[in-house]
Amino acid sequence: MAGVDKSTVSRMLGGDKTLNIREETRQRISRAVAALGYRPNMAARSLRTARSFSLGITIASLDNPVYSAIIRGAEQGAADAGYSLLIAHMDEAAPDSRVYHRLVEQHRVDGLLVTTLRNEKEHLAALKELQAPFVLVNRKAKGVRNSVVVNDFGGAKAAVETLIRMGHRDIAHLSGNPSRYNARQRLLGYRAALEEAGIPFRPGLVVEADYTPDGGERAARVLMETQNRRFTAVFAVTLVAAAGALAAFHERGFSIPEDISVVGFHDSAVAELLYPPLTTVRVPLEEMGRFAAGALIDIIEGRRREITKTFSQVEVIERRSTAPLRAGSNLVARR
Amino acid sequence: MAGVDKSTVSRMLGGDKTLNIREETRQRISRAVAALGYRPNMAARSLRTARSFSLGITIASLDNPVYSAIIRGAEQGAADAGYSLLIAHMDEAAPDSRVYHRLVEQHRVDGLLVTTLRNEKEHLAALKELQAPFVLVNRKAKGVRNSVVVNDFGGAKAAVETLIRMGHRDIAHLSGNPSRYNARQRLLGYRAALEEAGIPFRPGLVVEADYTPDGGERAARVLMETQNRRFTAVFAVTLVAAAGALAAFHERGFSIPEDISVVGFHDSAVAELLYPPLTTVRVPLEEMGRFAAGALIDIIEGRRREITKTFSQVEVIERRSTAPLRAGSNLVARR
DNA sequence: CTGAAAGCGCTAACAT
DNA sequence: ATGTTAGCGCTTTCAG
């Protein structure tokens, strides 16, 4: 229709830098493309170039607002570069490293965003022999170069600093399993904030909670039993653990924030739903997802060899679960 | 390696029914496939068959547990049939019907699962001229044959019946926007339950809330102001609206469930996080997603022409936000 | 500055 | 009971 060979069209549409095309020819092609509503056939392009122009993202739980934020970002980052995002749900309970193979070996994806890493060793081995680039998102692992994370350490530190600024000194931490990178970082941030403020670390104030509401509830009970009211604030490793703790405190008749201030990690709409609305630490999850997708595409297309990045930004969103320590109105006064 | 033509391999692997192959040959092929780790190249297959073996799913908000459940199901349904699932996030605020074209015209997907339908008319028009099959999930629309939904009506009815069984008669409804199919159904279910129990419908007890916590909170305040305590239970159109209502009630000093019982629609982990944990109606969202994906694939592959299905199953999950009406312990007694 | 030709890996119609 | 053949629609040398 434009009176040119399809190869010329291909070069023009592909943005071939070496192509030296007459303006008039370009116009004719553009008009024909518009008139025909021409869209390149991705399958043919994939076959020819041996690339799928899709990324895969593995996630353990779609419910978790942390992952939905990451996905939202990743989808944007992919779309910006003309890629699609393919989700691969990987049950945290039964993680199966063959999922990677399915996606890659069928040439369905050119690279993987990995947010899951239970059985770290097995999965890393599977990923490495994969022959496709991958980047860890919100995770770090030994021997893996490509990794983008948020500032778990700084976020935890900021949370605890906020509590300290409110006058709290007896600050407990509902921690995560130390085998997890994020949990370790947050514990370190907690300790760093205490140390900088000259507050001695009391190991009894750190209780491990898993990532369920029940875990948070149990941990909060342990805290109340063993610490005999000698704490006025709690920094919880996740929002879910914080919610569980809130329930345990309510059950014991404590008022939040009058008796105990509570802060959780990761902001989301759910924080507004809790009672009281939960003060949280917000980190740029969506931005991280977007960036990770962009960086992975850079690696795929050879513009970059590796990527390590930490998004340092943290922000404490104060809601009604935290309040300044006031004598007579909290646990400290009662001991 | 197996000493046969690739077309034979193709037919065997593709499960060609007309193929009459010797057991010995089949063995040789199987061995070679295993030895070589052979995987069909999806791009070539797509080019040849003009199909992508992927489905697209459009969603407005990934955070919403309703959609994450649907996605989880859809991904399974797709995977079961060897398809992948491609997510297309479509901002509810700025829905863009071109997303459909992008996915379909680039031959990236063979069909669409549609959970978004703001600007119904425009979007339906875009979908219909698409030339690719689509099925509405958790939605119905006039003139669309393919649609799979859950039992919004029955779920709402069951919720209200549970309250009635607990002795409540003054039951309010925080409703959704009646332009939405789901909201309309739930309102109808509410009314049907009242009617069957011989309880007169009081229009003042129905207050429209949007789907935000704020909306639920505002609606609950309106209810308290206009109804002058003449209600003892609330059925909210969503979990989020219920959470907002809980906050409004707490703020006014009401105890839940002693003063007011609250039920929300759609169960999810978040229900456990609320205070008190929220009684909800559970409908089989994940199953619906899975089924919708399977049915869409059936349509794509010509085994079926259309699909309309309602998952009738509903279940009220009783948690601590509901309690039997007891004289002297609730609003009725106080009027 | 543009065209011609080859071929990516598969499937399906047609042969034997 | 299996092989032959002809493309699917693109990109990429290589020619002119």
Side-chain angles (χ1 to χ4, degrees):
Chain A
M1 176 163 166
V4 296
D5 190 84
K6 60 190 167 122
S7 61
T8 306
V9 179
S10 171
R11 277 173 288 204
M12 177 178 140
L13 264 40
D16 186 340
K17 296 292 286 179
T18 74
L19 178 63
N20 222 340
I21 199 174
R22 253 190 310 218
E23 186 51 30
E24 186 238 346
T25 316
R26 160 165 272 133
Q27 291 292 335
R28 268 186 295 132
I29 295 179
S30 295
R31 263 196 307 271
V33 164
L36 297 167
Y38 171 77
R39 298 263 169 183
N41 180 317
M42 288 309 276
R45 180 196 282 230
S46 286
L47 179 56
R48 179 63 228 230
T49 61
R51 299 198 358 236
S52 64
F53 303 95
S54 314
L55 307 181
I57 186 167
T58 62
I59 17 144
S61 99
L62 239 20
D63 304 44
N64 191 326
V66 172
Y67 296 114
S68 54
I70 293 174
I71 292 176
R72 219 178 313 126
E75 207 251 335
Q76 282 173 36
D80 287 350
Y83 279 62
S84 308
L85 187 67
L86 219 131
I87 64 153
H89 187 262
M90 191 181 278
D91 201 333
E92 185 100 17
D96 184 352
S97 56
R98 284 168 303 182
V99 169
Y100 305 133
H101 283 96
R102 230 192 50 217
L103 290 175
V104 173
E105 295 195 347
Q106 292 184 161
H107 302 99
R108 293 200 122 137
V109 303
D110 298 330
L112 244 22
L113 297 169
V114 177
T115 72
T116 49
L117 262 197
R118 303 277 70 199
N119 300 111
E120 192 166 309
K121 256 168 281 170
E122 180 205 333
H123 278 229
L124 284 178
L127 283 165
K128 282 183 176 172
E129 72 180 28
L130 212 53
Q131 215 59 14
F134 65 95
V135 356
L136 301 185
V137 184
N138 199 31
R139 294 263 177 291
K140 279 197 176 182
K142 279 205 191 71
V144 179
R145 291 190 134 64
N146 300 326
S147 177
V148 5
V149 294
V150 291
N151 190 357
D152 286 288
F153 174 87
K157 189 153 169 278
V160 176
E161 281 167 354
T162 298
L163 292 168
I164 293 173
R165 218 175 301 118
M166 289 175 166
H168 296 277
R169 293 183 57 86
D170 301 299
I171 302 170
H173 178 40
L174 303 186
S175 71
N177 186 311
S179 74
R180 298 210 185 188
Y181 167 80
N182 312 74
R184 280 198 310 274
Q185 293 296 307
R186 290 174 206 167
L187 175 57
L188 291 174
Y190 162 80
R191 296 194 57 164
L194 294 183
E195 190 167 358
E196 280 188 17
I199 301 173
F201 172 64
R202 283 164 47 201
L205 285 180
V206 175
V207 181
E208 187 174 328
D210 58 26
Y211 298 84
T212 63
D214 272 7
E217 203 167 336
R218 274 196 302 271
R221 286 210 200 93
V222 168
L223 209 51
M224 291 187 284
E225 280 155 27
T226 64
Q227 293 304 303
N228 196 24
R229 298 185 168 180
R230 293 186 52 237
F231 64 97
T232 65
V234 174
F235 164 58
V237 70
T238 62
L239 184 145
V240 167
L246 287 178
F249 294 145
H250 287 139
E251 190 183 59
R252 273 286 249 281
F254 289 127
S255 292
I256 312 294
E258 291 78 7
D259 295 325
I260 307 175
S261 284
V262 179
V263 184
F265 204 98
H266 283 315
D267 193 52
S268 90
V270 176
E272 296 279 356
L273 303 182
L274 301 181
Y275 181 72
L278 188 73
T279 295
T280 59
V281 179
R282 178 188 291 161
V283 287
L285 293 171
E286 192 165 334
E287 205 180 332
M288 171 176 70
R290 185 179 191 130
F291 178 86
L296 176 56
I297 292 171
D298 285 346
I299 292 174
I300 290 167
E301 301 190 343
R303 281 188 299 278
R304 168 179 236 149
R305 293 203 70 76
E306 60 184 63
I307 177 68
T308 336
K309 172 148 177 128
T310 301
F311 282 83
S312 59
Q313 184 195 338
V314 302
E315 184 185 3
V316 176
I317 311 290
E318 291 192 36
R319 297 201 181 81
R320 300 211 306 277
S321 68
T322 45
L325 181 73
R326 281 169 307 171
S329 67
N330 52 56
L331 299 178
V332 161
R334 291 187 193 158
R335 7 169 169 147
Chain B
M1 176 162 167
V4 298
D5 190 84
K6 60 193 166 117
S7 63
T8 305
V9 178
S10 172
R11 277 173 289 202
M12 177 177 138
L13 262 40
D16 185 341
K17 295 292 286 179
T18 73
L19 177 64
N20 220 340
I21 199 173
R22 251 191 311 220
E23 186 50 31
E24 184 239 345
T25 317
R26 161 165 271 133
Q27 292 292 336
R28 267 185 294 132
I29 296 181
S30 295
R31 263 196 307 269
V33 164
L36 298 167
Y38 171 79
R39 298 263 168 186
N41 180 319
M42 287 309 279
R45 180 197 284 232
S46 287
L47 179 58
R48 177 65 227 230
T49 60
R51 303 207 344 246
S52 65
F53 303 95
S54 315
L55 307 181
I57 185 166
T58 64
I59 16 141
S61 97
L62 238 21
D63 305 45
N64 192 325
V66 173
Y67 296 113
S68 54
I70 294 174
I71 293 176
R72 218 178 313 126
E75 207 251 334
Q76 282 172 37
D80 287 350
Y83 280 61
S84 309
L85 187 68
L86 219 130
I87 65 152
H89 187 261
M90 191 180 278
D91 201 334
E92 185 100 15
D96 184 352
S97 55
R98 285 169 302 181
V99 169
Y100 306 133
H101 283 94
R102 230 192 50 217
L103 289 176
V104 174
E105 295 196 346
Q106 293 185 161
H107 302 100
R108 293 201 122 137
V109 304
D110 298 332
L112 244 22
L113 297 169
V114 177
T115 72
T116 50
L117 261 198
R118 302 279 71 199
N119 302 111
E120 190 166 310
K121 256 167 283 173
E122 180 205 333
H123 278 230
L124 283 178
L127 283 165
K128 282 182 177 173
E129 71 180 27
L130 212 53
Q131 215 59 14
F134 64 96
V135 358
L136 301 185
V137 184
N138 199 31
R139 295 263 177 291
K140 279 198 178 184
K142 278 204 192 71
V144 179
R145 291 188 135 63
N146 299 326
S147 177
V148 5
V149 296
V150 292
N151 190 358
D152 286 288
F153 174 87
K157 188 154 170 280
V160 176
E161 282 168 353
T162 299
L163 292 169
I164 292 172
R165 219 174 299 118
M166 289 176 167
H168 297 276
R169 293 182 59 85
D170 302 299
I171 301 170
H173 178 40
L174 303 187
S175 73
N177 186 310
S179 74
R180 300 209 184 189
Y181 167 80
N182 312 73
R184 280 198 310 276
Q185 292 297 307
R186 290 175 206 166
L187 175 57
L188 291 173
Y190 162 80
R191 296 194 56 163
L194 294 182
E195 192 168 356
E196 281 189 14
I199 301 174
F201 173 61
R202 284 162 49 199
L205 284 181
V206 175
V207 181
E208 186 175 328
D210 57 25
Y211 298 84
T212 63
D214 272 7
E217 202 167 337
R218 274 196 303 272
R221 286 209 200 93
V222 168
L223 208 52
M224 291 188 283
E225 279 154 27
T226 64
Q227 292 305 304
N228 195 25
R229 298 186 169 180
R230 294 186 52 240
F231 64 96
T232 65
V234 174
F235 165 57
V237 69
T238 61
L239 184 146
V240 166
L246 288 179
F249 294 144
H250 287 140
E251 189 183 60
R252 275 285 251 283
F254 290 126
S255 292
I256 314 293
E258 290 77 8
D259 296 324
I260 307 174
S261 284
V262 179
V263 184
F265 204 98
H266 281 315
D267 193 52
S268 90
V270 176
E272 296 280 357
L273 304 182
L274 301 181
Y275 182 73
L278 188 73
T279 295
T280 58
V281 179
R282 177 187 291 163
V283 288
L285 293 170
E286 192 165 335
E287 204 180 332
M288 172 177 69
R290 185 179 191 132
F291 178 85
L296 177 55
I297 292 170
D298 284 347
I299 292 174
I300 290 168
E301 301 189 343
R303 281 187 298 276
R304 166 178 236 151
R305 293 205 69 77
E306 59 185 63
I307 177 68
T308 336
K309 170 143 180 136
T310 301
F311 283 82
S312 59
Q313 182 195 338
V314 303
E315 184 185 2
V316 176
I317 311 289
E318 291 193 38
R319 297 201 181 82
R320 299 211 306 277
S321 67
T322 45
L325 181 74
R326 281 169 305 170
S329 66
N330 53 58
L331 299 176
V332 160
R334 293 187 194 159
R335 2 167 173 151

